[in-house]
Amino acid sequence: MSLWRGLLASLWTTLRQLRRRDTLEYPEQEPKLGERWRGRPVLTHDPDGEERCVACELCSAVCPTQCIALEGADRPDGRRFAQSFRINFARCIYCGLCEEACPTLAIQLSPEYAFAKTERGDFVYHKEALLIEGTGKHPEYRYYAHAGVRTQALPKPVHCDPRSNLP
Ligand code: SF4
Ligand code: SF4
């Protein structure tokens, strides 16, 4: 009896799978991307409209394929910015390490995944093509609201005996 039940169960599973359609008629049908999808990196602005990138080069240092190249410069007010910024998307593997390393949340992976080219050189995006108007995933974040700001003194720590919670 259990043999028949097992056979029927597997037949039912097979029939259910037959109705599933994972293949999409791309590009007519767009795939549904997950929230953490990792697509083409972009450079963002802070809510004041200032460029977030401070040309620290951490993204370039951490990039495993070394596809980021940039040059920093100082503005008259002392704020540092990326004079030039370049990513070679023919080498980018969309790992997201640049986003993780960025202290100002400037570089962020976007959902864009479809940008086929016929010329290899067209995969090299310069700053003008990388910069987006908005703030990306972090609408409130303003690096200079935190960097260089004096923090308030913490209250004196309360003395505690580290052995007090031993059984
Ligand atoms: S996603 Fe990865 S490979 Fe692409 S630019 Fe960032 S660190 Fe480099
Ligand atoms: S994008 Fe971020 S990590 Fe890269 S140079 Fe600019 S501030 Fe630094």
Side-chain angles (χ1 to χ4, degrees), residues 43-58:
L43 291 174
T44 59
H45 287 88
D46 70 18
D48 299 335
E50 298 275 15
E51 286 176 24
R52 278 182 171 146
C53 177
V54 293
C56 67
E57 301 194 28
L58 281 176

Side-chain angles (χ1 to χ4, degrees), residues 40 42-43 45 51 53 69-71 81-87 124-132:
R40 178 175 82 78
V42 293
L43 291 174
H45 287 88
E51 286 176 24
C53 177
L70 66 126
E71 251 178 281
F81 74 105
Q83 203 166 33
S84 68
F85 203 111
R86 201 174 66 223
I87 302 183
V124 179
Y125 278 41
H126 293 268
K127 186 176 165 184
E128 305 72 43
L130 293 169
L131 259 180
I132 62 162

Side-chain angles (χ1 to χ4, degrees), residues 85-123:
F85 203 111
R86 201 174 66 223
I87 302 183
N88 182 353
F89 288 116
R91 281 161 53 185
C92 177
I93 54 170
Y94 311 98
C95 62
L97 288 179
C98 50
E99 179 174 340
E100 282 184 39
C102 181
T104 65
L105 308 183
I107 192 163
Q108 299 177 18
L109 268 62
S110 74
E112 186 181 351
Y113 62 92
F115 53 110
K117 315 275 180 204
T118 50
E119 295 294 325
R120 194 175 289 188
D122 293 345
F123 280 109

Side-chain angles (χ1 to χ4, degrees), residues 57-64 66-70 98:
E57 301 194 28
L58 281 176
C59 54
S60 154
V62 80
C63 178
Q66 300 186 340
C67 64
I68 302 179
L70 66 126
C98 50

